[in-house]
């Protein structure tokens, strides 16, 4: 049982963000009422099935911390009551500029036990380039507020390949966050998403502003630095101290089905990948409206599981990929995959060409 809840409200849309979100939250009350309506209807469906496995609830966005904490806390309690969930991993995403000790305490009291902080950088010049609303001080205060509230499972995002960013800045940021209490670091290369201000600013390409070799050096360097500090790279973009891996995200990479609530939320149930319309007004009017994106056959599921497993450091098992050995052999010959005791995983070179490898399985 895995549940994703999308909170699409933000103080301001970041210029690089391609996720569905809107600036402001004038319809927050009606939106959370619609969420409850959808959650109730889904619980009726759930009661007719046998759900098992690890339980996770993930509030993402948008910026969940931007809305009044009472809405978010009430929604978490409602989900836990509807699905009779007592124990599990319950994550909330927050941004430093809309987060403080009071919200941290209220989230913890409501039952959240994992917090993901959108730090992105601890260098103010890089934050300005990214269009973020916080500075270094606010980011570190967010980590401190989380610790004071009793959060021990703290994750922080870092972005690399930002125009003007220095390689040593990344290592300094990572070390500072670890010393402050972060147990998990997600590292993302800046990308140009369609129909964003960054697409207009950089013309759809970053290589003229950020050297590709430097971006790759940053990625591998940060990954190695984190591993040296004890945070094991368990997925292409994620490193964690043992025991602090994101159980919710691991459910995605294992091909598990999951519920999804909220405008623009994407879910996967009964072999169907679906999405809610990217409209708060539409969602409030009909929270059960869904768009079918893909119906997976059994072969599709196996192919997808191979691809998703390759995102992880564990890789894919021999049993999983036995029907796709042509693709495996091809990528081994190219130096993108290597054999280990259990199966196959991406090589260092393969990490740089992962999307090409994935295409051979989908």
């Amino acid at each position: 049982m895995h549940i994703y809840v999308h909170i699409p409200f933000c103080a301001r849309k970041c210029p690089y963000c391609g996720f569905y979100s809107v600036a402001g939250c004038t319809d927050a009350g009606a939106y959370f009422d619609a969420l409850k309506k959808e959650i109730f209807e889904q619980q009726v469906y759930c009661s007719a099935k046998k759900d098992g496995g690890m339980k996770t609830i993930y509030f993402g966005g948008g910026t969940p911390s931007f809305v009044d904490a009472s809405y978010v806390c009430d929604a978490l309690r409602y989900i836990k009551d509807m699905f009779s969930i007592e124990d599990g991993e319950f994550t909330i995403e927050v941004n430093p500029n809309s987060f403080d000790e009071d919200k941290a305490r209220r989230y913890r009291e409501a039952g959240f036990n994992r917090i993901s902080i959108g730090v992105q950088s601890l260098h103010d010049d890089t934050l300005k380039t990214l269009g973020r609303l916080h500075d270094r001080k606010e980011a570190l205060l967010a980590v401190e507020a989380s610790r004071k509230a009793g959060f021990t499972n703290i994750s922080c995002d870092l972005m690399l390949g930002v125009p003007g960013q220095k390689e040593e800045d990344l290592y300094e940021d990572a070390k500072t966050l670890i010393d402050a209490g972060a147990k998990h670091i997600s590292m993302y290369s800046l990308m140009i998403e369609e129909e964003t201000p960054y697409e207009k600013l950089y013309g759809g390409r970053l290589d003229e502003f950020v050297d590709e070799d430097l971006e790759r050096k940053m990625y591998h360097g940060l990954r190695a630095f984190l591993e040296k500090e004890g945070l094991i790279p368990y997925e292409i973009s994620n490193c964690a101290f043992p025991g602090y891996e994101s159980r919710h995200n691991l459910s995605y990479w294992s091909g598990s089905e999951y519920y999804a609530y909220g405008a623009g939320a994407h879910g996967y149930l009964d072999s169907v990948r679906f999405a809610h319309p990217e409209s708060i007004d539409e969602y409030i009017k009909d929270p059960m409206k869904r768009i079918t994106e893909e119906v997976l056959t059994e072969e599709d599921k196996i192919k997808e599981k191979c691809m998703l497993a390759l995102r992880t450091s564990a890789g894919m098992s021999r049993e999983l990929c036995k029907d796709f050995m042509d693709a495996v052999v091809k990528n081994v010959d190219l130096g993108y995959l290597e054999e280990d005791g259990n199966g196959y995983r991406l090589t260092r070179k393969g990490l740089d060409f992962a999307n090409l490898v994935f295409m051979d399985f989908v």
Side-chain angles (χ1 to χ4, degrees):
M1 186 186 297
H2 308 287
I3 296 171
Y4 175 75
V5 184
H6 191 62
I7 311 300
F9 306 106
C10 286
R12 185 178 72 193
K13 185 89 171 179
C14 292
Y16 57 83
C17 180
F19 293 110
Y20 173 65
S21 62
V22 297
C25 57
T26 55
D27 297 321
Y31 183 81
F32 278 87
D33 285 343
L35 269 179
K36 283 187 175 181
K37 190 178 296 183
E38 185 187 8
I39 292 163
F40 177 80
E41 293 294 333
Q42 195 68 73
Q43 189 275 339
V44 173
Y45 166 83
C46 175
S47 65
K49 296 181 66 182
K50 289 185 177 180
D51 288 292
M54 60 180 178
K55 301 176 178 66
T56 68
I57 304 172
Y58 193 105
F59 278 65
T63 310
S65 60
F66 177 60
V67 301
D68 191 292
S70 59
Y71 288 125
V72 174
C73 295
D74 182 56
L76 176 65
R77 293 188 182 102
Y78 189 77
I79 293 172
K80 291 172 70 177
D81 288 345
M82 284 290 101
F83 287 88
S84 299
I85 301 172
E86 295 182 3
D87 298 316
E89 178 193 85
F90 309 133
T91 304
I92 183 167
E93 291 182 347
V94 304
N95 277 348
N97 68 294
S98 59
F99 180 65
D100 54 28
E101 286 188 33
D102 178 65
K103 283 186 176 178
R105 176 185 54 77
R106 294 171 70 181
Y107 294 153
R108 192 70 191 89
E109 290 174 351
F112 286 104
N113 53 24
R114 183 175 184 274
I115 196 158
S116 179
I117 307 172
V119 173
Q120 316 308 355
S121 175
L122 291 178
H123 284 73
D124 289 344
D125 54 345
T126 301
L127 289 169
K128 186 175 181 180
T129 299
L130 290 170
R132 303 292 288 179
L133 294 175
H134 67 273
D135 58 18
R136 173 190 176 90
K137 181 179 179 181
E138 288 175 302
L140 292 176
L141 284 174
V143 179
E144 182 181 1
S146 301
R147 281 196 304 102
K148 286 184 176 179
F151 283 96
T152 56
N153 196 344
I154 301 171
S155 177
C156 295
D157 293 349
L158 285 177
M159 295 198 75
L160 57 96
V162 182
Q165 187 179 38
K166 298 176 182 177
E167 185 182 357
E168 55 267 28
D169 294 349
L170 281 170
Y171 308 147
E172 180 186 323
D173 290 353
K175 178 61 175 173
T176 301
L177 291 172
I178 294 167
D179 290 345
K183 302 296 185 181
H184 183 288
I185 300 287
S186 295
M187 49 186 190
Y188 301 110
S189 295
L190 181 63
M191 297 180 65
I192 302 298
E193 302 290 347
E194 293 183 359
E195 299 181 7
T196 62
Y198 258 33
E199 184 181 35
K200 296 179 180 178
L201 180 62
Y202 295 110
R205 296 178 60 122
L206 270 175
D207 54 1
E208 295 180 12
F209 303 90
V210 180
D211 181 76
E212 289 184 2
D213 291 339
L214 174 60
E215 184 274 333
R216 286 291 83 193
K217 188 180 179 185
M218 285 181 170
Y219 170 78
H220 289 291
L222 180 57
R223 188 179 167 97
F225 178 85
L226 290 171
E227 186 167 18
K228 186 178 179 181
E229 290 291 321
L231 284 80
I232 309 303
Y234 69 97
E235 193 267 345
I236 286 178
S237 300
N238 292 275
C239 301
F241 284 111
Y244 289 94
E245 301 85 356
S246 170
R247 291 168 59 193
H248 182 83
N249 288 339
L250 281 169
S251 75
Y252 296 153
W253 302 320
S254 66
S256 299
E257 295 191 347
Y258 55 95
Y259 302 116
Y261 307 124
H266 293 253
Y268 176 37
L269 291 173
D270 293 333
S271 303
V272 177
R273 292 201 178 279
F274 65 89
H276 292 279
E278 293 187 347
S279 167
I280 291 173
D281 290 339
E282 278 193 56
Y283 183 73
I284 290 172
K285 290 177 183 176
D286 184 6
M288 295 304 295
K289 183 177 181 181
R290 293 173 178 174
I291 302 165
T292 297
E293 296 185 313
E294 184 180 13
V295 179
L296 277 67
T297 65
E298 289 306 308
E299 182 179 3
D300 292 334
K301 291 179 184 178
I302 296 173
K303 285 182 177 180
E304 189 172 83
K305 282 189 176 183
C306 286
M307 182 270 287
L308 291 169
L310 284 174
R311 290 191 61 90
T312 69
S313 297
M316 59 183 178
S317 67
R318 287 185 178 83
E319 178 65 23
L320 184 60
C321 67
K322 64 182 181 180
D323 294 328
F324 309 101
M325 288 307 296
D326 286 347
V328 172
V329 171
K330 171 189 171 182
N331 285 285
V332 169
D333 289 343
L334 288 169
Y336 297 159
L337 291 181
E338 63 183 1
E339 189 174 3
D340 65 11
N342 299 312
Y344 299 88
R345 61 186 178 187
L346 291 172
T347 61
R348 177 188 170 97
K349 181 180 178 182
L351 288 168
D352 293 337
F353 295 94
N355 286 337
L356 293 180
V357 180
F358 298 159
M359 288 300 293
D360 287 334
F361 290 92
V362 296

